[in-house]
Amino acid sequence: QVQLVESGGGLVQPGESLRLSCTASVFTLDHIAVAWYRQAPGKHRDPVAVIGLDGRLAYFGDSVQGRFTISRDNAKGTVYLQMNSLKAEDTAVYYCMTHLGGSDYWGQGTQVTVSS
């Protein structure tokens, strides 16, 4: 059974950084499109960034442009989300997702809390 696992969340102060990681069971994430989403309390789950199977990058929303970077380590089969200059409004559960064989696969999420 395909499972995605996120890690790296935590409690940080405004202005600090975190790096989230996403790995998968059964297969590696080295040549497949992977997206990061986030869901704040009481809000929809929204896309944050995506890395295509060809390595193309895309970011969603002005609020993350220039602060968040999605990347992939093919040797480790891991996708990362580097988040810098974190703000209180970045507080959310962050999920990674991929689409394979006609189905979407999600991780369980990792909590990111930005608070002073």
Side-chain angles (χ1 to χ4, degrees):
Q1 182 178 356
V2 176
Q3 287 185 318
L4 298 186
V5 179
E6 305 94 340
S7 62
L11 172 63
V12 296
Q13 295 188 345
E16 294 185 338
S17 299
L18 280 174
R19 188 178 76 162
L20 307 182
S21 300
C22 175
T23 59
S25 63
V26 180
F27 61 92
T28 59
L29 301 176
D30 53 341
H31 289 96
I32 191 169
V34 178
W36 283 99
Y37 282 71
R38 66 183 179 183
Q39 187 168 19
K43 295 189 177 181
H44 295 293
R45 188 176 298 187
D46 293 323
V48 174
V50 62
I51 183 166
L53 61 87
D54 59 358
R56 289 189 182 185
L57 309 179
Y59 298 92
F60 300 87
D62 293 337
S63 65
V64 304
Q65 293 279 358
R67 296 191 300 123
F68 289 12
T69 303
I70 188 170
S71 63
R72 174 170 29 220
D73 184 330
N74 287 329
K76 296 182 178 179
T78 302
V79 173
Y80 303 99
L81 184 67
Q82 177 69 42
M83 305 186 295
N84 298 329
S85 302
L86 283 162
K87 305 174 181 179
E89 51 262 44
D90 296 318
T91 295
V93 178
Y94 285 72
Y95 301 88
C96 61
M97 185 277 282
T98 194
H99 184 83
L100 182 67
S103 298
D104 291 340
Y105 295 95
W106 296 84
Q108 81 290 346
T110 186
Q111 176 70 49
V112 172
T113 302
V114 185
S115 175
S116 56

